[in-house]
Amino acid sequence: MDLSNPLVKDLLNEASVRSLDAYDVIGFDVDHCLVQYNVPSLYRMTYHGLVDTLIKDKGYPKSMHELTEVQMNFPMNGTICDYKHGCMVKLSPDNEVLRAYKGFRRLGPEELREIYGNPPCMKEFTKEQQATEDYFTFLTYFDPPFTLLFAAMQDLAERKVIAKTIEQLKEDLWYAHKLAYVYWDYEKKTMEGIATYGTYYPHVVKSPELYIKRREGVRELLAKLREKGKKLFMLTNSHYDYCDVIMSYAFGKDWKKLFDLCITCGKKPNFFKNQSGAFYRVKETEPLFCGEEAKAPLELNNDYLTGNYKGLEMTFEKALGRTNLKYAYLGDNYMGDCYWTAKLPNWDGIAVVEELSNFFLIP
């Protein structure tokens, strides 16, 4: 969204505050929800880091850095990587294949029918499983660089620039992914700072102004929600130290005071799917910042790792002195943040879909 446009306001705006009046407890994801990224810069940085890994470790050609502008705009959110057939596909709600690509080449109707039947349908896909041996679903704004990478890899294979099977492309894709987001030394079992490892974190940590937007307006709205007596929590799958870096840049060093509870390494969607995941206190001197286990109900105004929704409910029921509270959780991942929360009693999942800002002016 172009926030310089005076006709466009933030997705989390004054209307959002009014629409949340019905809830007692409101939770927020961090990445692409509370923290808004400069998406084009993030895409390019992530993609070129992935390519560097493939060139260095897997022998891919340097030409992967030289895509056309049209090819660089290929990434699509909500895309499914079909390993079984070597395609990138977009599906309808009933699993009909609407579009499919091999590399950057869009398949025609006849090819679609040959691969997926008539009508073309990806029968093995289920929305409740983001990943299987046969496919992976790219659902968040962190994912499109990987759709671009796989398309570029498949394009090279289709043109016989590289001799790779689909299985080898899949292995190389996830090898690059692992090295992009590595955050500690797996051999030494030590952590030396989030900017030490990987092809992603060092860029964001060292130059957050290139990738992250300030969120003064959202900070004011969070404060208004608390003034109305709402209990707020932050729940993210991001690591504690990375979360601190990006939230500090977006909201200021004192960002934690905006929330009653902060949970990192949340392991969503499992956080919402089970009642037994343990909470751990944050201890900055320990590997992965994992301190001793904490039993619910938790102490407010503290930092925790992992956990489960039932322990969260117990915590806020104790804090507010009543049961049957109404919960809302806002996030950008349609499945991990919204689908599974909406299945819980007294919970609503609310999708923050930044793509909609390309089509609507938010008043």
Side-chain angles (χ1 to χ4, degrees):
M1 184 189 311
D2 179 10
L3 293 181
S4 65
N5 185 340
L7 297 177
V8 181
K9 292 186 179 180
D10 203 285
L11 284 167
L12 297 175
N13 55 22
E14 189 69 34
S16 299
V17 175
R18 294 193 297 272
S19 67
L20 294 171
D21 276 346
Y23 300 100
D24 303 296
V25 182
I26 304 163
F28 297 87
D29 188 17
V30 172
D31 299 287
H32 300 291
C33 181
L34 287 172
V35 172
Q36 187 178 29
Y37 288 86
N38 181 351
V39 173
S41 296
L42 193 76
Y43 277 4
R44 291 174 183 271
M45 177 271 288
T46 305
Y47 171 75
H48 288 297
L50 295 166
V51 169
D52 284 340
T53 296
L54 293 182
I55 292 171
K56 177 177 177 290
D57 295 349
K58 298 294 182 178
Y60 281 73
K62 293 181 180 179
S63 62
M64 292 185 74
H65 279 308
E66 301 167 1
L67 300 183
T68 68
E69 196 61 28
V70 171
Q71 290 171 333
M72 287 299 294
N73 289 326
F74 178 82
M76 297 175 287
N77 210 350
T79 302
I80 298 162
C81 185
D82 178 3
Y83 304 128
K84 186 176 179 180
H85 301 103
C87 295
M88 303 290 292
V89 302
K90 295 285 283 187
L91 298 182
S92 72
D94 59 357
N95 288 12
E96 182 179 354
V97 179
L98 302 176
R99 300 193 301 279
Y101 297 80
K102 280 189 177 289
F104 296 110
R105 182 177 65 86
R106 182 170 177 174
L107 303 186
E110 187 174 331
E111 286 180 286
L112 282 182
R113 288 191 291 270
E114 287 177 1
I115 297 172
Y116 294 104
N118 189 16
C121 184
M122 191 172 172
K123 298 177 181 179
E124 62 269 35
F125 176 78
T126 170
K127 65 183 179 181
E128 294 192 356
Q129 282 189 285
Q130 181 178 356
T132 70
E133 286 296 312
D134 292 332
Y135 67 81
F136 185 88
T137 313
F138 296 103
L139 289 175
T140 78
Y141 257 160
F142 280 128
D143 292 332
F146 295 93
T147 71
L148 176 61
L149 183 69
F150 193 78
M153 296 162 68
Q154 177 75 336
D155 178 67
L156 292 172
E158 288 279 302
R159 294 190 289 113
K160 302 190 185 307
V161 177
I162 58 174
K164 297 269 188 176
T165 66
I166 292 298
E167 189 62 30
Q168 289 171 324
L169 294 178
K170 173 184 172 182
E171 290 175 1
D172 291 347
L173 175 72
W174 293 112
Y175 175 83
H177 180 281
K178 177 181 177 180
L179 291 194
Y181 296 115
V182 64
Y183 54 91
W184 78 316
D185 191 316
Y186 284 94
E187 294 182 359
K188 297 179 181 177
K189 292 185 169 39
T190 60
M191 179 180 285
E192 299 174 12
I194 197 69
T196 306
Y197 309 103
T199 60
Y200 174 85
Y201 292 123
H203 291 282
V204 178
V205 173
K206 292 174 183 176
S207 302
E209 70 280 358
L210 298 179
Y211 307 106
I212 300 172
K213 299 181 180 182
R214 303 282 191 183
R215 301 285 266 170
E216 291 90 347
V218 178
R219 181 187 173 104
E220 293 175 7
L221 294 171
L222 294 173
K224 287 182 181 180
L225 286 170
R226 295 195 74 181
E227 288 172 6
K228 288 189 168 195
K230 308 300 182 185
K231 292 295 183 184
L232 305 186
F233 69 94
M234 183 205 79
L235 170 62
T236 177
N237 284 355
S238 285
H239 309 294
Y240 172 79
D241 48 350
Y242 178 68
C243 178
D244 187 47
V245 168
I246 60 178
M247 287 292 287
S248 293
Y249 184 82
F251 291 93
K253 294 290 186 182
D254 61 344
W255 64 269
K256 291 181 184 179
K257 76 177 187 180
L258 299 170
F259 304 95
D260 296 285
L261 206 61
C262 297
I263 302 171
T264 54
C265 297
K267 297 184 178 179
K268 299 173 295 176
N270 287 338
F271 186 95
F272 300 115
K273 292 168 68 174
N274 71 74
Q275 302 181 19
S276 58
F279 289 92
Y280 296 91
R281 296 184 183 277
V282 170
K283 189 173 182 180
E284 296 190 9
T285 58
E286 292 296 318
L288 303 181
F289 301 100
C290 188
E292 67 274 12
E293 185 175 344
K295 299 292 186 182
L298 307 172
E299 299 174 8
L300 296 186
N301 303 310
N302 275 292
D303 302 321
Y304 297 92
L305 307 176
T306 66
N308 65 87
Y309 81 93
K310 194 52 110 175
L312 191 85
E313 289 182 347
M314 291 172 59
T315 298
F316 287 113
E317 286 173 359
K318 179 182 178 182
L320 292 172
R322 51 194 172 90
T323 58
N324 293 319
L325 302 176
K326 291 203 67 178
Y327 298 83
Y329 184 72
L330 288 77
D332 69 305
N333 188 314
Y334 323 130
M335 297 301 296
D337 294 333
C338 303
Y339 177 78
W340 291 105
T341 50
K343 292 174 74 72
L344 299 176
N346 297 325
W347 283 75
D348 284 328
I350 301 174
V352 177
V353 185
E354 191 170 345
E355 294 94 319
L356 291 180
S357 65
N358 295 322
F359 303 99
F360 301 102
L361 292 181
I362 310 297

